[in-house]
Every structure is written in C-alpha cells, then in structure tokens.
Amino acid sequence: MNRHERALATVLEELQALPGTDAVLFFGSVQRGEGQATSDLDFYVVTSGREYWRAGRVVDGVQVELFFNPAPKMRERLEEGDAVAIHAFATGELLLDRTGVGKALAARARQLWQEGPKPLTPWQAATWRYRLTDLAQDIEDVPPGSPEAHLLAGLLVPQALEAFCALNRAWADKPKRLLARIRQLDPELADMAAEFYRTSNPAVAVRIADRVLAPFGGRIHTYESDRVPIGERWRIPFPTARRGWGLKGPSVHGCMSSSVNGKGLSHAGCGYWLKTLPFNLQRPRRRRLIAPLPRVPESVNALSGLPHDPLRPVPAPNGKDLSHRPDVRWLKTLPFNLQRPRRRRLIDPPPRVRDSVTALSGPSRPLEAPSQHPMVRI
C-alpha cells in the first residue's frame, strides 16, 4: 500500500465518523490513475447541514483537499454549470452514499456533461469577440518582440482558449489538462497553442485568436451594448466561475442581472434575505437581516423549538428590543466598505407589522391632561 492509498483510507475513515456526512466522492488525477508523486487527493463531501466550506490538510505526506457542500448547494453548483463539480461527479468514484443523494448527483452530472454548457446569448458571444479583438489589436500596436507584446500575448492566448470552449459549448478543464481537452476538439488549434507556449511568439498568439473567432464572424468592430440609465447597475455579460477570471472552472454559464439598486429581496420563512452582489462581481451571496419580523413569533418558535410566550416581546438578534417602536422598523446592513454598520429607517411599515408589534408591547397609552396629573398644580 503506497502513501496515497494509506491517506485515502485514513481520510475515508474520518469522514465516515463525521456527523452529517451523507456522501463522499473521490475524484481527481489519483482517482483516474493519472496521479504523480506530488498529486493530491480531492474529495466532495455532501453534508446534511446548511453550511459549505473547504479544507486542506496533509495526511501521511499527501495533500488532501476537501470540499463540503449540503445537497441543495451541490445541486445548485451543478445546475449553474460549475465544470469542475460536473466533471467530478460525472467521472468520480462514490466511496460513501448513505442517503442515495450521491448517486442522484452523479446521474445529473453525467447528463449535464453530455449536454454541454448552455448556449451563449448574442451579447455574451459579442463580448468574447470584443475581448479577443481588443487584445489582438493591442499586440499589433506595439513593437514586435517588445516586452509589451509578450505581456499582451500571454494574456491573449489563455482567454482565446477559454473563449474557444465557451463559443463552441465545450466544457473547459483545468489548465494542466486544457491543451489535451482542446486537442480532442481542434488538433490544429492545440498545435498552435503548444507552439506559442514553446516560443512565446506574439504573432502566433494573434493567429490563435483569429482562428478562434473565424467561425463566429471574426474580429468585431461594430457593436452596441445595453443602454443603462444612471443609477442602475450594468448587467455582467459573462460571469465566470467562482475561481475568478482564469481558466479554472467554467467561464460562461449565463447572464446575471441585478435590481435597480443592485439588491433583491425575497421572503424566506420568518425573516427576509438580502441579496447583494459580492465585490469580485461573481455569483451573488445572501446576508440575513438583523431583525426578524415580529409578526410571526409562532413560526420562529416552531423553527427554534422554544416555547412560545405571547407576553414576551421578540428581541432582535443584536440584543435590542424593537417592540417599543411600533411605527418603524430598523434594518442594519453592512455598507460596501465593511466598516461600521449604518441604519436605514423604513417609514410607514405595513399595518400587520404595526399590529404585531403593538400586540407584543401592549396598546399605547394616551397622554394625560396637565390638570389630571397629580404632580402638576395649576
């Protein structure tokens, strides 16, 4: 038993004893029998919780990468077109499947892998053409053989290979296997890319870009984007994978837009969820608002398992009681600079919120006239 096999057995034993582990998928070069002495072990762990995270450790001298995801999150990654996750579940090996969720995810991944990525919209295709056209023209504008030409060529070729996969609805792969993947689709383009990485010739980079763009109209010079009023956010035409703008993972899997102020609110059980666009302009994440709605204390208690006391006001999670302010609600959100929180006042809340707060805090008392007050003499 070599060290990869010993590390695999150790990790699997620990994951089996970990509470909430529903399925364990083993994937990567070692699983496919292509591993080297420095190769790591990759695992997708499907959990029954509501959190997702990743972890890395060294076991018997072998680097181990663990990706923990609840089943709904894992399905979301597959449906969004995460090429790494789709390829992993389509070709990986299930080492543990207690609930059958791993088998279902693997079947869906194989279906998505055969179907290929979703077709690009006309604007997405035009965006790829513009990016390659712009870099190719920049290379032609600088002196041949200059450091600037080599710098631009180094940027152009990876984007051209990524655009080739996106425009031809082919799943991209990790950089170390990308040339082999492209060789299956276009051997001549793969030979040109190999020649560029051996010689770093900027002229070869321009020919690569022109070959990629030729079936789709060549270089683009006439175009017009969407007209966006001031105050709105411009739609991101080609959101890339979670790993960034590089070659890891899928490059184009749909068009993402936001509301006028860049935020969308959707009701979720006993509170509201605030969707904001992260700073890296990738997929949106969710942030929970601080104060839950006091109109559903029974639902909150039903979810938390705590006994319901109708006489006790529902405090906000930040420790402040909002029941004495029946006319307003306070929402604390983090500004983009991630500094001190700011408060936003919602004027004129819905009547059901005012009634619920009044029911918790009691009816308001009218002011007494000065002549009726025992401490005031007229």
Side-chain angles (χ1 to χ4, degrees), residues 196-256:
F196 168 77
Y197 284 113
R198 284 194 299 264
T199 62
S200 298
N201 188 348
V204 177
V206 175
R207 292 202 303 270
I208 291 175
D210 289 335
R211 179 176 179 82
V212 171
L213 295 177
F216 304 96
R219 300 188 188 185
I220 187 171
H221 302 283
T222 302
Y223 61 91
E224 183 177 356
S225 68
D226 295 338
R227 300 188 181 188
V228 183
I230 296 177
E232 294 188 10
R233 286 183 179 270
W234 182 55
R235 295 187 307 166
I236 304 174
F238 43 89
T240 62
R242 299 176 185 86
R243 299 175 182 266
W245 297 88
L247 291 174
K248 282 194 174 183
S251 58
V252 177
H253 52 75
C255 187
M256 179 171 58

Side-chain angles (χ1 to χ4, degrees), residues 5 45 52 83 90 98 114 145 156 167 179 187 196 209 329 335 348 362:
E5 295 174 346
V45 184
Y52 62 95
R98 290 172 175 167
Q114 294 176 357
L156 175 59
L167 294 170
L179 290 181
F196 168 77
R329 286 184 298 153
D348 192 14

Side-chain angles (χ1 to χ4, degrees), residues 71-91 103-119 168-172 181 242 250 252-253:
K73 186 64 179 179
M74 201 68 252
R75 294 190 187 95
E76 179 185 342
R77 291 181 184 273
L78 297 181
E79 298 300 333
E80 286 182 349
D82 189 331
V84 175
I86 292 175
H87 185 263
F89 274 88
T91 61
K103 184 178 179 180
L105 290 172
R108 179 56 177 161
R110 287 190 291 269
Q111 180 183 0
L112 292 173
W113 185 262
Q114 294 176 357
E115 294 176 354
K118 297 179 181 179
N168 290 277
R169 295 190 61 191
W171 293 112
R181 173 66 175 161
R242 299 176 185 86
V252 177
H253 52 75

